[in-house]
Amino acid sequence: MRGEPEAGRTIGVGTHIVECLRINNLIERHGEGFLARVFSAEEIRYCSSRTQATQQYAAFWAAKEATVRALQIEPPRGMSWKTVELQMRGSGNPTPLLHGPLRLRAEQLGIRAVRISLSHCRTHAVAFAVALG
């Protein structure tokens, strides 16, 4: 599923805010293991290349959470956070690609695209997601 421009009707919305310190602590405590469990190789490459990598990781974490909430479901127990993969195109906000059970749920709901808006500062990152049909 990609962010197609013809999508219209709002099916669901989600938002999430996270403390950047929480993500920093997870990265420091669990290192590459945490990153590899939550983020794709491309997401890691992108976030690590940023001047404020911790804030970028936090924003991507918030975007994944907001996307799941926009699908109007509780994350399935044992769900891999890689089932929401964020792709960066240009300098705008990422486009979420859904995999596995989340993709199936989106198809069941008639979701054709999910739009994401991200913001972060030194202490917090926030994301807002809109699922469109």
Side-chain angles (χ1 to χ4, degrees):
M1 185 179 84
R2 297 189 180 267
E4 303 298 328
E6 66 273 3
R9 179 176 62 95
T10 299
I11 294 177
V13 296
T15 189
H16 190 73
I17 186 169
V18 64
E19 288 182 289
C20 295
L21 181 60
R22 176 177 177 235
I23 301 303
N24 184 67
N25 290 344
L26 286 168
I27 293 169
E28 284 185 357
R29 189 174 318 126
H30 303 288
E32 295 296 320
F34 167 74
L35 295 178
R37 191 170 53 254
V38 176
F39 302 102
S40 71
E42 189 56 38
E43 290 169 327
I44 293 170
R45 231 181 331 275
Y46 178 80
C47 292
S48 294
S49 74
R50 311 306 292 173
T51 305
Q52 299 166 339
T54 298
Q55 288 92 335
Q56 194 64 55
Y57 278 117
F60 273 37
W61 172 281
K64 289 173 181 258
E65 289 269 9
T67 298
V68 170
R69 290 176 182 180
L71 298 178
Q72 305 172 358
I73 62 170
E74 288 292 321
R77 197 160 194 76
M79 180 193 90
S80 166
W81 284 107
K82 290 183 183 181
T83 59
V84 178
E85 181 180 1
L86 303 172
Q87 286 191 330
M88 291 302 296
R89 296 188 182 164
S91 61
N93 284 311
T95 299
L97 299 179
L98 305 178
H99 306 288
L102 295 185
R103 183 182 183 127
L104 292 175
R105 177 64 178 158
E107 290 171 357
Q108 290 170 346
L109 291 171
I111 294 170
R112 297 173 50 126
V114 178
R115 300 283 191 259
I116 299 285
S117 180
L118 302 176
S119 189
H120 61 77
C121 66
R122 186 179 51 80
T123 60
H124 290 83
V126 64
F128 186 77
V130 179
L132 302 170

